[in-house]
């Protein structure tokens, strides 16, 4: 199956700093990538949908100026958490759709990035 | 009412048991139904993928979709300790790259 990687797998930062998380599709081209946040013992909450070459679509309640998404190529999307605060500490997971998979709306998930803001 | 409801669990069963996991939903536009398995501190991995109503079997796993009742199920036969994980149901509409709506997830523990 299609493989999605994320980097870093975990990061600890000080309050007020910015953190960038990368999401890569390793063996396919992903025109659409999705960013999720997951709190402990909670389900995945979609933050935004990222389309290559265009602006991301954010879900209601997600601050677009705080969570900057860039999808500059067909294999890379980045999420930057700006001016991070302790309440931003969470597990961030990206996923990507492979148009060639033959399964409509199937998403392949990355391994996740655990962010801890001190 | 949430769009997707999933039994909260947790669920603990002995090895070899048959496990039944269920989700209900309210949005009749959902056409694609999936079950994901997520191990602790890992990303979800797709287990089963079904379109519309019916059954689908893959090894020890069987997925059922009943669109008339807006109810989906995942059955695990001969459960193994390695099946211990969180199981999430997910569903989407028919538009291209439609977003997935997830259930809350249920944590399953299979005791040796």
């Amino acid at each position: 199956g299609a493989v999605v990687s994320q980097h870093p797998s975990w990061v600890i930062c000080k309050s007020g700093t910015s953190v960038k998380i990368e999401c890569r599709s390793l063996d396919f081209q992903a025109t659409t990538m999705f960013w999720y946040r997951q709190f402990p013992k909670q389900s995945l909450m979609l933050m935004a949908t990222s389309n290559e070459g265009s602006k991301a679509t954010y879900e209601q309640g997600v601050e677009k100026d705080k969570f900057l998404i860039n999808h500059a190529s067909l294999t890379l999307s980045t999420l930057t958490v700006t001016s991070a605060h302790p309440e931003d500490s969470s597990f961030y997971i990206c996923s990507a759709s492979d148009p060639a998979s033959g399964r409509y709306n199937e998403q392949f998930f990355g391994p996740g990035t655990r962010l801890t803001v001190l | 009412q949430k769009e997707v409801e999933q039994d909260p669990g947790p669920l603990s069963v002995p090895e070899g048991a048959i496990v039944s996991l269920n989700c209900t939903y309210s949005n009749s536009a959902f056409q694609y139904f999936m079950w994901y398995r997520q191990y602790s501190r890992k990303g979800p991995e797709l287990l089963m993928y079904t379109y519309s109503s019916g059954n689908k079997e893959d090894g020890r796993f069987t997925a059922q979709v009943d669109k008339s009742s807006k109810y989906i199920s995942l059955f695990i036969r001969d459960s193994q300790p390695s099946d211990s994980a969180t199981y999430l149901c997910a569903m989407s509409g028919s538009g291209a790259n439609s977003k997935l709506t997830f259930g809350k997830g249920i944590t399953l523990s299979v005791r040796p």
Side-chain angles (χ1 to χ4, degrees):
Chain A
V3 180
V4 176
S5 71
Q6 276 183 248
H7 178 79
S9 55
W10 60 270
V11 57
I12 301 173
C13 69
K14 293 182 179 179
S15 186
T17 60
S18 294
V19 174
K20 180 185 282 188
I21 302 170
E22 292 185 349
C23 177
R24 294 182 184 272
S25 56
L26 297 185
D27 52 1
F28 67 102
Q29 293 185 327
T31 54
T32 303
M33 290 183 170
F34 303 85
W35 286 96
Y36 295 84
R37 181 166 52 182
Q38 186 178 36
F39 292 107
K41 300 190 186 297
Q42 299 290 320
S43 189
L44 281 75
M45 298 300 297
L46 180 65
M47 299 175 66
T49 301
S50 167
N51 292 295
E52 186 265 340
S54 63
K55 290 184 178 180
T57 302
Y58 290 81
E59 294 299 300
Q60 191 173 10
V62 177
E63 299 175 59
K64 59 182 66 176
D65 293 331
K66 180 168 185 62
F67 299 99
L68 301 179
I69 292 172
N70 183 280
H71 192 164
S73 78
L74 286 171
T75 59
L76 174 64
S77 177
T78 60
L79 168 69
T80 300
V81 183
T82 63
S83 187
H85 291 283
E87 58 265 30
D88 298 323
S89 298
S90 188
F91 193 50
Y92 292 85
I93 310 175
C94 72
S95 70
S97 294
D98 178 5
S101 77
R103 286 178 169 175
Y104 210 62
N105 291 332
E106 180 178 11
Q107 293 182 20
F108 299 92
F109 285 84
T113 296
R114 184 159 303 279
L115 170 63
T116 301
V117 184
L118 302 177
Chain B
Q1 181 188 13
K2 290 185 178 179
E3 274 195 301
V4 179
E5 300 270 8
Q6 183 172 5
D7 294 340
L11 183 62
S12 179
V13 301
E15 184 174 354
I18 297 174
V19 176
S20 172
L21 308 176
N22 309 297
C23 288
T24 58
Y25 63 96
S26 58
N27 189 342
S28 58
F30 289 143
Q31 298 284 341
Y32 298 88
F33 304 91
M34 288 148 264
W35 285 94
Y36 283 87
R37 178 174 61 194
Q38 185 178 24
Y39 292 110
S40 182
R41 298 177 182 265
K42 301 290 185 183
E45 58 176 322
L46 182 68
L47 269 182
M48 301 291 284
Y49 175 99
T50 52
Y51 169 67
S52 198
S53 287
N55 294 356
K56 184 174 183 179
E57 187 174 320
D58 184 0
R60 296 184 295 111
F61 299 90
T62 300
Q64 287 186 350
V65 175
D66 182 349
K67 289 190 68 182
S68 62
S69 302
K70 295 189 176 64
Y71 188 89
I72 70 170
S73 300
L74 176 70
F75 297 96
I76 307 174
R77 292 184 298 281
D78 187 25
S79 56
Q80 303 294 311
S82 58
D83 295 328
S84 299
T86 295
Y87 291 80
L88 301 129
C89 61
M91 41 200 84
S92 74
S94 58
N97 291 319
S98 289
K99 60 184 181 182
L100 295 180
T101 301
F102 282 87
K104 198 171 183 178
I106 183 169
T107 298
L108 170 67
S109 175
V110 181
R111 309 185 302 271

